[in-house]
Structure formats: structure tokens, C-alpha cells
Short mmCIF file of all heavy atoms in Angstrom, two decimals:
data_model
loop_
_atom_site.label_atom_id
_atom_site.label_comp_id
_atom_site.label_asym_id
_atom_site.label_seq_id
_atom_site.Cartn_x
_atom_site.Cartn_y
_atom_site.Cartn_z
N THR E 26 -11.13 12.43 15.86
CA THR E 26 -10.26 11.39 16.59
C THR E 26 -11.06 10.09 16.74
O THR E 26 -12.20 10.07 16.97
CB THR E 26 -10.02 11.92 18.04
OG1 THR E 26 -9.41 13.22 18.01
CG2 THR E 26 -8.99 10.99 18.80
N ILE E 27 -10.28 9.09 16.61
CA ILE E 27 -10.88 7.67 16.83
C ILE E 27 -9.98 6.84 17.68
O ILE E 27 -8.71 6.94 17.56
CB ILE E 27 -11.13 7.04 15.41
CG1 ILE E 27 -11.90 5.70 15.58
CG2 ILE E 27 -9.88 6.79 14.61
CD1 ILE E 27 -12.45 5.06 14.26
N VAL E 28 -10.47 6.09 18.62
CA VAL E 28 -9.73 5.22 19.46
C VAL E 28 -10.21 3.80 19.13
O VAL E 28 -11.29 3.49 18.68
CB VAL E 28 -9.92 5.46 20.97
CG1 VAL E 28 -9.40 6.84 21.33
CG2 VAL E 28 -11.34 5.21 21.33
N VAL E 29 -9.19 2.88 19.27
CA VAL E 29 -9.40 1.51 18.95
C VAL E 29 -8.62 0.72 20.01
O VAL E 29 -7.57 1.07 20.50
CB VAL E 29 -8.96 1.21 17.47
CG1 VAL E 29 -7.51 1.35 17.29
CG2 VAL E 29 -9.52 0.00 16.98
N PRO E 30 -9.06 -0.57 20.43
CA PRO E 30 -8.36 -1.30 21.42
C PRO E 30 -6.96 -1.63 21.02
O PRO E 30 -6.69 -1.94 19.84
CB PRO E 30 -9.31 -2.59 21.61
CG PRO E 30 -10.63 -2.13 21.16
CD PRO E 30 -10.38 -1.16 20.09
N ALA E 31 -6.00 -1.50 21.94
CA ALA E 31 -4.62 -1.84 21.76
C ALA E 31 -4.09 -2.99 22.60
O ALA E 31 -2.93 -3.20 22.70
CB ALA E 31 -3.72 -0.57 21.85
N GLY E 32 -5.03 -3.63 23.23
CA GLY E 32 -4.65 -4.75 24.09
C GLY E 32 -4.85 -4.42 25.53
O GLY E 32 -5.65 -3.53 25.98
N PHE E 33 -4.16 -5.20 26.44
CA PHE E 33 -4.41 -5.06 27.86
C PHE E 33 -3.11 -4.85 28.63
O PHE E 33 -2.00 -5.35 28.16
CB PHE E 33 -5.04 -6.45 28.39
CG PHE E 33 -6.41 -6.57 27.86
CD1 PHE E 33 -6.66 -7.04 26.57
CD2 PHE E 33 -7.58 -6.19 28.61
CE1 PHE E 33 -8.03 -7.22 26.08
CE2 PHE E 33 -8.87 -6.36 28.14
CZ PHE E 33 -9.07 -6.89 26.88
N THR E 34 -3.16 -4.13 29.70
CA THR E 34 -2.00 -3.94 30.52
C THR E 34 -1.65 -5.13 31.37
O THR E 34 -2.43 -6.11 31.33
CB THR E 34 -2.21 -2.77 31.54
OG1 THR E 34 -3.30 -3.19 32.47
CG2 THR E 34 -2.68 -1.50 30.89
N ARG E 35 -0.56 -5.17 32.00
CA ARG E 35 -0.26 -6.39 32.84
C ARG E 35 -1.17 -6.59 33.96
O ARG E 35 -1.21 -7.63 34.57
CB ARG E 35 1.21 -6.42 33.19
CG ARG E 35 1.77 -5.23 33.99
CD ARG E 35 3.28 -5.47 34.28
NE ARG E 35 3.76 -4.40 35.23
CZ ARG E 35 4.34 -3.40 34.88
NH1 ARG E 35 4.56 -3.00 33.56
NH2 ARG E 35 4.81 -2.45 35.76
N ASP E 36 -2.08 -5.60 34.25
CA ASP E 36 -3.15 -5.79 35.30
C ASP E 36 -4.39 -6.28 34.56
O ASP E 36 -5.41 -6.40 35.19
CB ASP E 36 -3.50 -4.45 35.93
CG ASP E 36 -2.31 -3.96 36.86
OD1 ASP E 36 -1.44 -4.82 37.25
OD2 ASP E 36 -2.25 -2.80 37.20
N ASN E 37 -4.25 -6.61 33.29
CA ASN E 37 -5.39 -7.14 32.50
C ASN E 37 -6.58 -6.07 32.40
O ASN E 37 -7.66 -6.42 32.39
CB ASN E 37 -5.94 -8.45 33.15
CG ASN E 37 -6.27 -9.44 32.07
OD1 ASN E 37 -5.89 -9.29 30.96
ND2 ASN E 37 -7.03 -10.48 32.43
N LEU E 38 -6.13 -4.87 32.22
CA LEU E 38 -7.11 -3.77 31.96
C LEU E 38 -6.95 -3.23 30.56
O LEU E 38 -5.78 -3.14 30.08
CB LEU E 38 -6.89 -2.64 33.04
CG LEU E 38 -7.25 -3.07 34.47
CD1 LEU E 38 -6.67 -2.14 35.48
CD2 LEU E 38 -8.75 -3.21 34.64
N PRO E 39 -8.05 -2.80 29.88
CA PRO E 39 -7.87 -2.42 28.50
C PRO E 39 -7.14 -1.10 28.29
O PRO E 39 -7.30 -0.18 29.12
CB PRO E 39 -9.37 -2.23 28.03
CG PRO E 39 -10.18 -2.83 29.16
CD PRO E 39 -9.40 -2.79 30.34
N ALA E 40 -6.41 -0.98 27.18
CA ALA E 40 -5.81 0.24 26.86
C ALA E 40 -6.04 0.41 25.36
O ALA E 40 -6.37 -0.54 24.63
CB ALA E 40 -4.24 0.14 27.10
N GLY E 41 -5.86 1.66 24.89
CA GLY E 41 -6.15 1.93 23.44
C GLY E 41 -5.19 2.83 22.78
O GLY E 41 -4.34 3.39 23.47
N VAL E 42 -5.34 2.94 21.48
CA VAL E 42 -4.47 3.79 20.64
C VAL E 42 -5.36 4.84 20.00
O VAL E 42 -6.57 4.36 19.63
CB VAL E 42 -3.58 3.01 19.73
CG1 VAL E 42 -4.40 2.31 18.66
CG2 VAL E 42 -2.53 3.85 19.16
N CYS E 43 -4.90 6.05 19.87
CA CYS E 43 -5.77 7.12 19.34
C CYS E 43 -5.13 7.72 18.07
O CYS E 43 -3.97 8.02 18.07
CB CYS E 43 -5.75 8.20 20.44
SG CYS E 43 -6.93 9.52 20.09
N PHE E 44 -5.97 7.83 17.02
CA PHE E 44 -5.55 8.46 15.78
C PHE E 44 -6.26 9.83 15.67
O PHE E 44 -7.49 9.92 15.90
CB PHE E 44 -5.95 7.61 14.59
CG PHE E 44 -5.43 6.23 14.50
CD1 PHE E 44 -6.04 5.23 15.16
CD2 PHE E 44 -4.24 5.98 13.74
CE1 PHE E 44 -5.47 3.93 15.17
CE2 PHE E 44 -3.63 4.70 13.66
CZ PHE E 44 -4.26 3.71 14.37
N ILE E 45 -5.47 10.87 15.37
CA ILE E 45 -6.11 12.19 15.34
C ILE E 45 -5.46 12.84 14.03
O ILE E 45 -4.33 12.57 13.63
CB ILE E 45 -5.69 13.04 16.60
CG1 ILE E 45 -6.28 14.45 16.51
CG2 ILE E 45 -4.16 13.19 16.83
CD1 ILE E 45 -6.20 15.27 17.81
N GLY E 46 -6.40 13.55 13.34
CA GLY E 46 -6.00 14.03 12.01
C GLY E 46 -6.45 15.41 11.69
O GLY E 46 -7.00 16.13 12.54
N ARG E 47 -6.32 15.85 10.48
CA ARG E 47 -6.70 17.13 9.96
C ARG E 47 -8.20 17.29 10.00
O ARG E 47 -8.94 16.28 9.95
CB ARG E 47 -6.29 17.41 8.52
CG ARG E 47 -4.79 17.52 8.41
CD ARG E 47 -4.32 17.74 6.91
NE ARG E 47 -2.91 17.93 6.91
CZ ARG E 47 -2.03 16.94 6.76
NH1 ARG E 47 -2.44 15.71 6.71
NH2 ARG E 47 -0.75 17.15 6.77
N PRO E 48 -8.68 18.56 10.13
CA PRO E 48 -10.14 18.78 10.09
C PRO E 48 -10.81 18.10 8.99
O PRO E 48 -10.40 18.12 7.81
CB PRO E 48 -10.32 20.31 9.93
CG PRO E 48 -9.01 20.87 10.64
CD PRO E 48 -7.97 19.83 10.30
N TYR E 49 -11.91 17.45 9.28
CA TYR E 49 -12.84 16.71 8.31
C TYR E 49 -12.08 15.56 7.52
O TYR E 49 -12.54 15.20 6.47
CB TYR E 49 -13.53 17.76 7.41
CG TYR E 49 -14.38 18.63 8.17
CD1 TYR E 49 -13.99 19.96 8.40
CD2 TYR E 49 -15.54 18.15 8.68
CE1 TYR E 49 -14.81 20.79 9.21
CE2 TYR E 49 -16.34 18.99 9.49
CZ TYR E 49 -15.96 20.32 9.72
OH TYR E 49 -16.79 21.09 10.53
N ASP E 50 -11.04 15.07 8.08
CA ASP E 50 -10.36 13.93 7.44
C ASP E 50 -10.84 12.61 8.17
O ASP E 50 -10.06 11.63 8.34
CB ASP E 50 -8.83 14.04 7.53
CG ASP E 50 -8.10 13.11 6.51
OD1 ASP E 50 -8.81 12.73 5.51
OD2 ASP E 50 -6.91 12.91 6.65
N ASP E 51 -12.07 12.62 8.47
CA ASP E 51 -12.70 11.46 9.27
C ASP E 51 -12.51 10.15 8.58
O ASP E 51 -12.20 9.15 9.22
CB ASP E 51 -14.14 11.73 9.56
CG ASP E 51 -14.39 13.02 10.37
OD1 ASP E 51 -14.07 14.13 9.78
OD2 ASP E 51 -14.80 12.98 11.47
N GLY E 52 -12.66 10.14 7.26
CA GLY E 52 -12.65 8.87 6.52
C GLY E 52 -11.33 8.21 6.63
O GLY E 52 -11.21 6.99 6.87
N ASN E 53 -10.16 8.99 6.55
CA ASN E 53 -8.87 8.35 6.61
C ASN E 53 -8.54 7.87 8.02
O ASN E 53 -7.90 6.81 8.21
CB ASN E 53 -7.81 9.41 6.20
CG ASN E 53 -7.71 9.42 4.61
OD1 ASN E 53 -7.70 8.33 4.01
ND2 ASN E 53 -7.57 10.54 4.04
N LEU E 54 -9.06 8.51 9.05
CA LEU E 54 -8.83 8.08 10.35
C LEU E 54 -9.59 6.72 10.62
O LEU E 54 -9.01 5.75 11.24
CB LEU E 54 -9.35 9.01 11.46
CG LEU E 54 -8.56 10.36 11.54
CD1 LEU E 54 -8.91 11.07 12.83
CD2 LEU E 54 -7.14 10.18 11.48
N ILE E 55 -10.75 6.58 9.97
CA ILE E 55 -11.45 5.28 10.05
C ILE E 55 -10.67 4.22 9.35
O ILE E 55 -10.50 3.10 9.81
CB ILE E 55 -12.91 5.40 9.49
CG1 ILE E 55 -13.80 6.22 10.43
CG2 ILE E 55 -13.50 4.07 9.02
CD1 ILE E 55 -15.20 6.62 9.92
#
């Protein structure tokens, strides 16, 4: 799993989006 910033909420706090994939498919998630 990899997370990356997705912007800020209306309270100006960070939120993120998460990509999850098949076992050992780390390269494609990157």
C-alpha cells in the first residue's frame, strides 16, 4: 500500500489517497 497527499480539508488539515494492490505489485503502486 502507498499513500500520497490528496490536498486539504476545509479545516486546512492534510488528507490522502491510498493505492492498494496485489501481493508484490509494489512497482505498479509506485
Side-chain angles (χ1 to χ4, degrees):
T26 307
I27 187 167
V28 296
V29 69
F33 293 81
T34 65
R35 54 183 191 265
D36 293 339
N37 220 15
L38 294 165
V42 69
C43 189
F44 298 86
I45 181 168
R47 291 183 178 82
Y49 297 106
D50 199 18
D51 300 65
N53 278 318
L54 292 196
I55 284 172

